[in-house]
Amino acid sequence: MYRITTDDQSSAQIDALPSEALDSFAEIVGVLQLVPWRGKPYAETKPDGSMRHLFFGHGSMVVYLILDDQLRVDILKVIWVG
């Protein structure tokens, strides 16, 4: 299982999510813990890159970095479209 980390910016973005987003965001965290490579490449020019993104809710997105050697996923940005 991957460990999920955040920095100050992404923590603030998560804290600002409205209550209706929390269930779908929690599902995304579960996916990141188990199968983070399920996300799409953040840069189409780097299809095997470890920077990925997943959509949740209605067009919202989480951008993250996979560090396989540490079994860690760093959440970089959470964008809520409500």
Side-chain angles (χ1 to χ4, degrees), residues 31-80:
V31 169
L32 295 179
Q33 290 175 322
L34 298 174
V35 286
W37 288 100
R38 180 174 283 176
K40 296 187 179 199
Y42 187 72
E44 290 184 21
T45 57
K46 296 183 178 183
D48 296 328
S50 58
M51 192 167 172
R52 318 292 277 184
H53 72 279
L54 278 170
F55 290 101
F56 69 98
H58 298 285
S60 300
M61 182 173 65
V62 61
V63 179
Y64 59 96
L65 179 66
I66 302 168
L67 302 164
D68 268 337
D69 60 331
Q70 299 175 41
L71 289 177
R72 190 176 96 199
V73 172
D74 292 346
I75 294 179
L76 305 174
K77 185 180 285 191
V78 178
I79 301 167
W80 171 251

